[in-house]
Amino acid sequence: MRRVATALALAAATALAATGCAKDDQTVRTGGPGEEPTKKQTRFEKRAEVIENTWPERLKPLDGRPDEMLPLENAERPDPDSRTLTVIVGHGNCDKDWGAHLHETEDLVIVAGWKKEDKNVEFCTEQLVTDKVKLKLDEKFGDRTIVDAATGRQLPHEKAE
């Protein structure tokens, strides 16, 4: 009787998993036992991967202005020996938080802005504010190209003051 109950429980669990009742944000395990599960890629990570695999082909800009991946206003081109990149993030005057995403390859530094709205603000003007955000690079900047993930284009840059 226990074997039948166990078999029925396993069958029910398998059926539930197969019908897609699992959550969207679950992790996916790759590799063998003892390896860490890999997390679901963010929209930025997916876009950076596409840019990495197709650059210098021009990509279409993203539709709209999703809060998790905004086009950047500009970047300060660092010294080739620098491990810091400063980007200019545009966000709303009433946003609670903002920052920038970073993905590095041997030839590219792929970046995009992000923001989080303050849900407690009842009325806010739609005024654009720009702020500098410093990003720490894993490797020296060298002669890499800075690419805006939101637009798919090389980011204009100016020499840092």
Side-chain angles (χ1 to χ4, degrees):
M1 186 67 172
R2 282 187 192 166
R3 288 184 185 160
V4 172
T6 303
L8 286 174
L10 281 171
T14 303
L16 276 174
T19 59
C21 292
K23 293 181 180 178
D24 288 338
D25 62 349
Q26 72 185 147
T27 56
V28 178
R29 182 169 297 283
T30 59
E35 290 186 19
E36 290 295 316
T38 56
K39 65 179 182 139
K40 183 178 176 185
Q41 279 188 311
T42 65
R43 188 172 185 180
F44 172 77
E45 291 167 334
K46 288 177 187 176
R47 178 75 169 181
E49 189 174 284
V50 169
I51 291 169
E52 180 180 351
N53 292 325
T54 60
W55 186 261
E57 178 184 319
R58 285 195 158 209
L59 297 172
K60 289 183 179 179
L62 295 175
D63 290 333
R65 289 180 59 95
D67 289 352
E68 74 273 9
M69 193 168 24
L70 298 170
L72 294 171
E73 300 300 314
N74 207 337
E76 294 178 357
R77 186 163 192 86
D79 182 271
D81 290 330
S82 178
R83 288 182 182 254
T84 303
L85 172 66
T86 302
V87 295
I88 313 301
V89 176
H91 59 90
N93 190 40
C94 298
D95 288 331
K96 177 172 60 173
D97 200 8
W98 58 87
H101 299 289
L102 170 68
H103 178 83
E104 298 180 60
T105 72
E106 186 177 314
D107 299 317
L108 304 172
V109 176
I110 304 167
V111 291
W114 60 264
K115 69 174 184 161
K116 290 185 181 179
E117 293 180 8
D118 188 344
K119 304 290 185 191
N120 296 321
V121 174
E122 289 183 36
F123 177 77
C124 186
T125 61
E126 293 192 22
Q127 146 186 19
L128 178 68
V129 179
T130 58
D131 281 292
K132 292 182 178 182
V133 175
K134 289 190 180 223
L135 300 170
K136 185 176 181 199
L137 302 173
D138 290 335
E139 301 293 329
K140 291 180 182 178
F141 182 77
D143 63 350
R144 295 187 280 180
T145 301
I146 304 168
V147 180
D148 186 324
T151 64
R153 295 197 169 108
Q154 183 172 345
L155 193 63
H157 55 271
E158 54 195 39
K159 197 71 168 165
E161 296 175 7

